[in-house]
Amino acid sequence: SVMLTTATTDADRALWPSAAGVTLVASAGAALEVALTTCNTGASPFPLTQALHTYFAVPDIDRVRVEGFDGLDYLDKVDANARKRWSGPIRFAGEVDRIYLGHAGAATIVDEALGRSIVVEKSGSRSSVVWNPWIERCRQLADMGPDGYRGMLCVETANAGDDVVVLAPGASHTLAARIHLR
């Protein structure tokens, strides 16, 4: 296990006006467990959005599907945040950048090439982000090779879109993910 802790400073106020303490705990064993706890250390409530940016390596994005989002609404960031409804498993044939709303359950990445399933369970979250930059967006990313999109995807535990947490003074919120193979 590793624990990292920080707190906002006066210099941070130019970027974010609220006072907060943040602790990240990551534990590895049969599963990877990550918990991000934010505490309001100020005198006023503040809205909190956040995400655990989990990037998954896959050998071939064409042979991957993500399950667990059937029947949910999502905000399509590729289409000006249009609200849409999803049906079935997610497959990738172009850029995907979506915030799935009302998602409190698990997501499963089915990697057909390696014959494995990666399960992302979560708590403290009612939204998830699914992302793959695809060809054009990938070319704009300095930290990814031209074909980098073929070997990755993100399934992120989040508080995003309309899933905003309001932290009262002295209150805390924990966003957590448990990732394991099935």
Side-chain angles (χ1 to χ4, degrees), residues 61-66 86 89-93 96 98 112:
I61 195 67
D62 292 334
R63 298 185 62 200
V64 168
R65 69 180 185 274
V66 181
W86 186 254
I90 301 167
R91 293 212 177 252
F92 300 87
V96 171
R98 302 174 184 160
E112 298 161 356

Side-chain angles (χ1 to χ4, degrees), residues 22-165:
V22 179
T23 301
L24 178 76
V25 177
S27 303
L32 172 64
E33 297 182 23
V34 180
L36 177 65
T37 301
T38 304
C39 182
N40 182 343
T41 58
S44 301
F46 63 79
L48 178 67
T49 60
Q50 58 197 144
L52 299 174
H53 296 279
T54 45
Y55 286 62
F56 295 93
V58 295
D60 183 1
I61 195 67
D62 292 334
R63 298 185 62 200
V64 168
R65 69 180 185 274
V66 181
E67 299 174 345
F69 298 97
D70 187 43
L72 296 179
D73 284 354
Y74 67 95
L75 300 177
D76 190 344
K77 294 174 70 178
V78 176
D79 188 14
N81 285 319
R83 189 177 186 121
K84 301 176 182 179
R85 170 80 40 137
W86 186 254
S87 179
I90 301 167
R91 293 212 177 252
F92 300 87
E95 182 179 358
V96 171
D97 193 353
R98 302 174 184 160
I99 301 171
Y100 283 87
L101 307 169
H103 184 249
T108 303
I109 300 165
V110 180
D111 181 346
E112 298 161 356
L114 293 180
R116 66 178 179 173
S117 293
I118 303 167
V119 180
V120 181
E121 298 170 330
K122 63 187 197 155
S123 63
S125 165
R126 292 185 1 88
S127 58
S128 292
V129 174
V130 177
W131 179 67
N132 179 284
W134 212 249
I135 299 165
E136 290 305 315
R137 181 83 173 110
C138 188
R139 289 180 182 152
Q140 299 169 9
L141 301 172
D143 60 345
M144 196 175 283
D147 291 331
Y149 73 96
R150 298 206 56 78
M152 62 76 64
L153 76 146
C154 292
V155 176
E156 303 174 11
T157 298
N159 296 119
D162 59 9
D163 180 23
V164 177
V165 174

